[in-house]
C-alpha cells in the first residue's frame, strides 16, 4: 500500500523529546506505531482495520491509550505549538456530522411536545 502515512526523520526528531523513558523491555519501533496511530485517527478507522505494515492493532491501541492517559500526546501538541511562537489560540472546526432523521424528535414525548 503506497498511501500509508509515515513520519519523516525530521518529524521524529521533533517528537522524540516528548517520549517517555523506556523502563525495562524496550518499546517497539516508535516511528511505526506513531505513524499507525496517526493513520488510524486521520482516516477514522477502527483499530482492527489498521494495515499490517504498522504492526499489531493491539500494540497501536495500547500505546495510544497509555500515552493518552499519561498526557503525552497533549504535551506533544503543546510543545509543538509553543515552538511556533504564536501568542493566540486559533481553532478551526471542519466537523461534518449527519444526524439521524429521528434525532429531532428526541425531546418529544408520545402524544405531544414536552414543555
Amino acid at each position: 500500500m503506497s498511501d500509508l502515512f509515515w513520519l519523516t526523520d525530521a518529524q521524529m526528531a521533533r517528537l522524540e523529546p516528548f517520549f517517555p523513558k523506556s523502563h525495562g523491555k524496550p518499546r517497539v519501533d516508535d516511528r511505526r506505531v506513531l505513524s499507525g496511530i496517526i493513520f488510524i485517527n486521520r482516516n477514522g478507522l477502527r483499530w482492527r482495520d489498521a494495515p499490517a505494515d504498522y504492526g499489531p492493532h493491539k500494540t497501536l491501541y495500547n500505546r495510544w491509550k497509555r500515552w493518552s492517559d499519561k498526557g503525552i500526546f497533549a504535551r506533544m501538541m503543546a510543545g509543538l505549538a509553543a515552538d511556533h511562537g504564536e501568542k493566540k489560540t486559533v481553532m478551526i472546526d471542519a466537523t461534518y456530522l449527519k444526524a439521524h432523521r429521528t434525532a429531532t424528535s428526541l425531546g418529544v414525548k408520545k402524544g405531544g411536545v414536552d414543555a
Side-chain angles (χ1 to χ4, degrees):
M1 236 187 243
S2 62
D3 58 344
L4 296 179
F5 174 80
W6 294 102
L7 290 165
T8 65
D9 290 335
Q11 291 168 331
M12 285 300 292
R14 287 190 67 196
L15 292 175
E16 280 183 32
F18 302 105
F19 293 171
K21 301 290 184 241
S22 181
H23 301 289
K25 196 163 81 169
R27 290 192 302 259
V28 295
D29 183 24
D30 287 326
R31 179 189 311 267
R32 184 183 71 178
V33 174
L34 285 177
S35 296
I37 291 170
I38 293 169
F39 183 83
I40 291 294
N41 288 322
R42 180 184 279 181
N43 293 301
L45 301 174
R46 297 179 309 168
W47 295 106
R48 289 193 179 276
D49 296 335
D53 294 356
Y54 295 127
H57 67 87
K58 189 75 171 171
T59 302
L60 299 176
Y61 172 76
N62 286 341
R63 177 81 57 92
W64 174 80
K65 178 70 173 148
R66 196 174 328 115
W67 282 17
S68 293
D69 290 345
K70 290 181 178 180
I72 292 169
F73 289 121
R75 281 196 297 274
M76 279 183 193
M77 295 302 150
L80 293 174
D83 290 346
H84 182 45
E86 183 66 35
K87 300 295 185 229
K88 296 181 186 176
T89 300
V90 178
M91 300 178 94
I92 299 173
D93 184 15
T95 306
Y96 175 76
L97 297 173
K98 291 176 93 176
H100 191 270
R101 60 188 167 86
T102 60
T104 58
S105 65
L106 289 176
V108 177
K109 290 185 175 180
K110 278 191 172 181
V113 177
D114 185 22

